[in-house]
Amino acid sequence: MSYRLIALDLDGTLLNAAAQVPQVHKAAVRQAMAQGLEIIIVTGRSWGEMELFYRDLGLTTPAITLLGAQVVDGHGHLIWEQRMDPAAAAAVANAADAGGWALSAVFDSGVAHATRRPHDFTHWEQWNPFTHISGSLAPRVAVQSPLFIAAYGKQACDACLAEFPAGLPATQWDLHAPQPDDMALFYWHREVDKGRALAAFCAGRGIQAAEVVALGDSTGDLAMLRWAGTGVAMAVAPPHVQAECALVTAADDPHPVATALQRLGILSAVPGI
């Protein structure tokens, strides 16, 4: 197989458990670029949250951020975006005011506001490094619809699901609950996902799906992994994600991205493996 582009998720894929890029992964990315392959980061993080990794890897390509809701160039300048349906965003913001929920909204890279800090979500600082506690989100949402909204903590998530059991107009949602005491409910536009954004990016460069290998670890990566000619799932990926991929990495591999690229014949040898 002849590949032209490698699409990489960050958290749980290129980054290790300490949220760092292992040296072996850095070497693999740089070797792939030296061989003429394009590397694109496709992440749920905003540009501000991923820029240090981007610079450290020496990338120059655009980046797909916020689960595909924004595409930015190598300077963080906006190329394309898809914001939430204004009516849907307003409905959630008003309901949060009425119920006193912990709700946050991302309006741009590095620009996020929350009603309050949740008392029942333990990773607030890690997940919200740029979020300002600003009280009601309704006035801000009325001026500009956010890229996505998140309810944090079991109390907020349960209340939000009860308030909108049939969903919201032009909106999709995902409940992230790695532990019973750590729940986050995300809402974003129905037409936004990593796969659509990656397909549009590749179409602009004349790159076919068969020429793309994508690597990810979660349900949020599934559309991208399905679209790419070759999908690679990390060992921590849910079974339904692994089932969609041509390759699944080993659970005890400290540098799964580099190993996968070797197994696919993209890289001949990576220092440290």
Side-chain angles (χ1 to χ4, degrees):
M1 177 69 66
S2 178
Y3 295 105
R4 294 177 58 190
L5 183 139
I6 301 171
L8 292 167
D9 170 54
L10 282 179
D11 294 278
T13 303
L14 191 65
L15 305 186
N16 59 21
Q20 299 173 337
V21 182
Q23 290 298 325
V24 173
H25 281 178
K26 292 180 186 179
V29 168
R30 290 165 182 164
Q31 184 178 330
M33 289 192 294
Q35 294 177 191
L37 280 84
E38 284 198 71
I39 306 291
I40 183 169
I41 300 298
V42 187
T43 179
R45 293 182 179 232
S46 68
W47 170 255
E49 294 172 297
M50 64 158 283
E51 184 179 4
L52 287 178
F53 304 118
Y54 181 95
R55 301 293 180 213
D56 192 32
L57 292 167
L59 301 179
T60 58
T61 53
I64 295 172
T65 66
L66 297 171
L67 297 174
Q70 279 193 338
V71 180
V72 298
D73 66 15
H75 301 287
H77 299 148
L78 182 66
I79 295 175
W80 177 90
E81 69 179 6
Q82 176 63 69
R83 294 182 176 271
M84 284 186 68
D85 178 86
V92 179
N94 290 330
D97 284 351
W101 309 342
L103 191 74
S104 73
V106 175
F107 293 90
D108 208 338
S109 179
V111 181
H113 295 270
T115 57
R116 63 175 177 84
R117 175 177 171 151
H119 63 81
D120 53 353
F121 186 82
T122 58
H123 300 293
W124 176 259
E125 289 83 1
Q126 178 183 346
W127 286 38
N128 291 272
F130 300 106
T131 301
H132 305 282
I133 305 300
S134 306
S136 174
L137 296 180
R140 298 179 186 277
V141 167
V143 174
Q144 182 184 44
S145 188
L147 293 155
F148 69 83
I149 280 178
Y152 283 98
K154 187 176 188 305
Q155 178 185 6
C157 291
D158 288 349
C160 206
L161 290 172
E163 182 76 18
F164 307 108
L168 293 157
T171 303
Q172 58 183 307
W173 62 272
D174 181 51
L175 179 64
H176 184 77
Q179 300 176 38
D181 295 333
D182 282 327
M183 298 177 65
L185 179 65
F186 298 94
Y187 288 108
W188 69 104
H189 197 281
R190 185 176 295 152
E191 296 181 0
V192 166
D193 62 55
K194 290 184 175 183
R196 291 175 193 252
L198 181 60
F201 175 84
C202 290
R205 280 166 162 70
I207 298 174
Q208 303 298 313
E211 299 172 304
V212 177
V213 57
L215 298 92
D217 74 306
S218 68
T219 301
D221 298 313
L222 190 52
M224 170 179 77
L225 296 170
R226 283 173 172 163
W227 180 83
T230 302
V232 178
M234 301 297 104
V236 296
H240 69 280
V241 175
Q242 295 186 16
E244 298 277 351
C245 294
L247 179 64
V248 178
T249 64
D252 59 351
D253 191 341
H255 32 65
V257 170
T259 302
L261 296 180
Q262 279 191 306
R263 289 180 62 184
L264 292 171
I266 296 173
L267 304 181
S268 56
V270 178
I273 295 182

